[in-house]
Amino acid sequence: MRLSEPIQPRIVTAPLAGAASEPPDYRQKVPIVYYRPGEWKRELISDALEGVLHGIFVTGWDQDGRDELLTASFLGIHLFRRRKDGTWTQTELTKGSPQPWPKCGSSDVAAGRLGRLRFLCAIEPWPWQRQVIDDTLANGHTIHAAGLNGDGRDEINGGGLPDIACIGATTLKWYENLGGRGSR
């Protein structure tokens, strides 16, 4: 993650839920922190999110040469930006699913590009200008956007439980971006 000049990579992390939270509500603050190589000192980005924080996506959101964070949690999708003075701002982009706690918010988030246009993809998005590309992904767990075929348009990849990265896929879908004429 690039937070300032000169470019110094950092590690950003957060627990899935607060240390003392209990299922099924997990009602406790969740810290998002980063570490600088060399010092490895824990620095707080925010502890304003609550419940399960399942997704963190590092992105050059405003193309200023510094990375920002997108998060997906019970409170929805948020954008975190680091100011030049080292403090962080938090902006709610969407509340995600309006279902009652603990089925609210978003489970995962990614940002992609369609040429110069930016888009968000999420598991369980709600308001925003929403385009459902698949309503059959049971137990949606993770999502990512990446240019996989070299055409300049990011494709969307989604997976369902059990976890596709660790346990073995039961569901993995690739949605090719055909510039508004998508396919699965």
Side-chain angles (χ1 to χ4, degrees), residues 2 14 19 23 37 44 51 55 57 59-60 62 73 78 89-90 93 104 129-131 134 143 150 167:
R2 301 160 297 161
L44 183 67
F57 186 81
T59 182
D62 52 17
S73 72
H78 290 84
T89 63
Q90 176 183 344
L93 300 181
C104 52
Q129 184 177 357
R130 184 176 182 217
Q131 180 177 350
D134 188 349
I143 195 161
I167 300 171

Side-chain angles (χ1 to χ4, degrees), residues 57-154:
F57 186 81
V58 178
T59 182
W61 183 258
D62 52 17
Q63 298 181 341
D64 65 355
R66 300 183 327 159
D67 289 333
E68 290 79 33
L69 299 176
L70 292 170
T71 61
S73 72
F74 281 6
L75 297 181
I77 296 175
H78 290 84
L79 172 67
F80 290 87
R81 289 185 173 120
R82 187 169 190 252
R83 294 183 182 127
K84 290 183 180 181
D85 68 2
T87 61
W88 290 82
T89 63
Q90 176 183 344
T91 305
E92 179 183 277
L93 300 181
T94 180
K95 292 186 183 306
S97 174
Q99 291 187 40
W101 194 285
K103 295 185 178 188
C104 52
S106 291
S107 178
D108 205 2
V109 63
R113 292 217 168 263
L114 178 59
R116 290 185 293 171
L117 300 174
R118 177 182 56 220
F119 64 87
L120 285 179
C121 44
I123 301 287
E124 296 286 327
W126 200 257
W128 278 60
Q129 184 177 357
R130 184 176 182 217
Q131 180 177 350
V132 177
I133 59 171
D134 188 349
D135 62 1
T136 66
L137 183 61
N139 296 315
H141 184 72
T142 191
I143 195 161
H144 191 73
L148 300 176
N149 59 8
D151 66 0
R153 296 184 301 248
D154 288 349

Side-chain angles (χ1 to χ4, degrees), residues 15 28 34-36 61 72 85 99 159 168 182:
Q28 190 180 30
Y34 71 96
Y35 298 87
R36 289 181 228 233
W61 183 258
D85 68 2
Q99 291 187 40

